[in-house]
Amino acid sequence: MTEFYRNGDRWDDTQEAYHQIMDAIVTQKLTPSQKVSENIFADMFGISRSISRNLIERLIAKQFLISVSPRVTQVAPLTLLEIKQNFMLRKILLPEAFSLAAPKVDFNALSRLAEEIENMLPIEDDETALKVLKTNKCLNLLAVEKTSYPLVIDWIEQLEDTAMRIYWLYTKINKSFFYSREQMEMTFSVMKNDEPGRTRKVLHDILTQTEDRILNSIFSQEQFNTQDLKV
């Protein structure tokens, strides 16, 4: 594999550190609105300050960190507004992307990922919960990458990362997956039949049902009656 260097650091090391930080944001080891810095990242993840600086800039650009002032950076908050905004944008982009990608999708690969998720249920611990979320993200990205629109894929990947923050709350409360196997099989079925209109409707309906289920689950918990949703 070709190694890339930026400011003297191996680019693959930077990528690994990026994924570690994103995992920490998803699982709330870095909690919403928590203050972060180059030193905090360097100590927490065993990386150089130059890599920390690079990743802070990158995560601010992707809106997983926010710059409150020139000297203060925080983990992006997770509120009802963020949840509703995420679902709204995913309900616009995902149905269209799935319908465009359907003729080229590797359905055997999607089915294998769906089976991996099912084999991890019920969710007994945090490690399994994170694996379920990442496998679901992988499944969605594997489908939409066949749209051949790089910008759309980038947008959806960012939305999926935010969705993992939301789904983490649900998995912690319910120890279960947020989609049923029937919903996944229905999605695969209409995609296989290459029914663009039907695919868009089915996926939009599933996302709407999931949003309602997640919001009801989260806000029935007294611990989430705060601006930031923390477990």
Side-chain angles (χ1 to χ4, degrees):
M1 180 182 294
T2 303
E3 293 180 349
F4 297 90
Y5 292 80
R6 296 192 177 185
N7 299 323
D9 293 312
R10 281 176 43 179
W11 184 237
D12 54 351
D13 288 346
T14 304
Q15 284 292 89
E16 176 62 25
Y18 174 83
H19 290 302
Q20 289 179 349
I21 293 170
M22 279 304 306
D23 287 352
I25 291 174
V26 168
T27 60
Q28 297 197 358
K29 291 179 181 176
L30 290 169
T31 60
S33 299
Q34 177 180 333
K35 182 179 177 180
V36 297
S37 67
E38 293 175 16
N39 288 336
I40 288 172
F41 278 2
D43 291 343
M44 189 171 182
F45 301 102
I47 56 179
S48 68
R49 289 190 61 184
S50 62
I51 288 181
S52 296
R53 189 179 312 115
N54 175 293
L55 293 178
I56 286 174
E57 292 173 358
R58 183 175 171 186
L59 288 162
I60 288 174
K62 288 182 172 288
Q63 300 181 29
F64 294 111
L65 299 180
I66 57 172
S67 180
V68 179
S69 73
R71 301 179 65 87
V72 178
T73 301
Q74 295 178 340
V75 176
L78 185 60
T79 66
L80 177 60
L81 176 61
E82 274 75 33
I83 293 175
K84 286 188 169 294
Q85 178 175 261
N86 180 268
F87 273 103
M88 178 188 72
L89 293 173
R90 290 172 76 234
K91 283 188 287 187
I92 293 171
L93 287 176
L94 278 177
E96 188 64 35
F98 270 59
S99 66
L100 287 171
K104 302 177 183 178
V105 165
D106 182 346
F107 289 102
N108 289 331
L110 293 186
S111 295
R112 285 194 296 271
L113 290 173
E115 187 174 352
E116 284 182 28
I117 291 171
E118 188 164 339
N119 290 337
M120 286 187 276
L121 303 179
I123 298 171
E124 301 290 353
D125 52 57
D126 287 356
E127 182 180 358
T128 303
L130 183 59
K131 285 181 180 178
V132 166
L133 298 183
K134 294 174 88 166
T135 304
N136 179 68
K137 173 190 169 182
C138 183
L139 187 156
N140 286 340
L141 294 181
L142 183 64
V144 302
E145 72 179 5
K146 298 301 182 180
T147 62
S148 301
Y149 292 122
L151 186 56
V152 171
I153 296 168
D154 284 346
W155 287 341
I156 289 175
E157 182 171 12
Q158 184 166 338
L159 289 170
E160 288 299 304
D161 280 334
T162 300
M164 286 205 295
R165 298 184 72 194
I166 299 165
Y167 291 153
W168 176 258
L169 303 175
Y170 183 87
T171 58
K172 290 288 287 184
I173 296 167
N174 298 285
K175 310 296 184 186
S176 63
F177 190 45
F178 25 88
Y179 299 128
S180 69
R181 185 60 186 263
E182 290 74 18
Q183 287 176 320
M184 299 181 79
E185 289 176 350
M186 183 185 302
T187 302
F188 297 164
S189 176
V190 294
M191 290 175 70
K192 284 179 182 178
N193 291 333
D194 195 14
E195 304 175 65
R198 178 72 174 149
T199 298
R200 287 192 290 269
K201 183 180 187 310
V202 165
L203 197 57
H204 185 277
D205 289 348
I206 288 173
L207 287 169
T208 299
Q209 293 162 13
T210 304
E211 178 183 24
D212 290 343
R213 185 164 60 252
I214 285 176
L215 288 175
N216 289 335
S217 179
I218 290 173
F219 290 103
S220 66
Q221 304 291 314
E222 186 175 346
Q223 72 192 91
F224 294 130
N225 291 335
T226 60
Q227 180 178 1
D228 269 334
L229 307 178
K230 304 177 184 179
V231 291

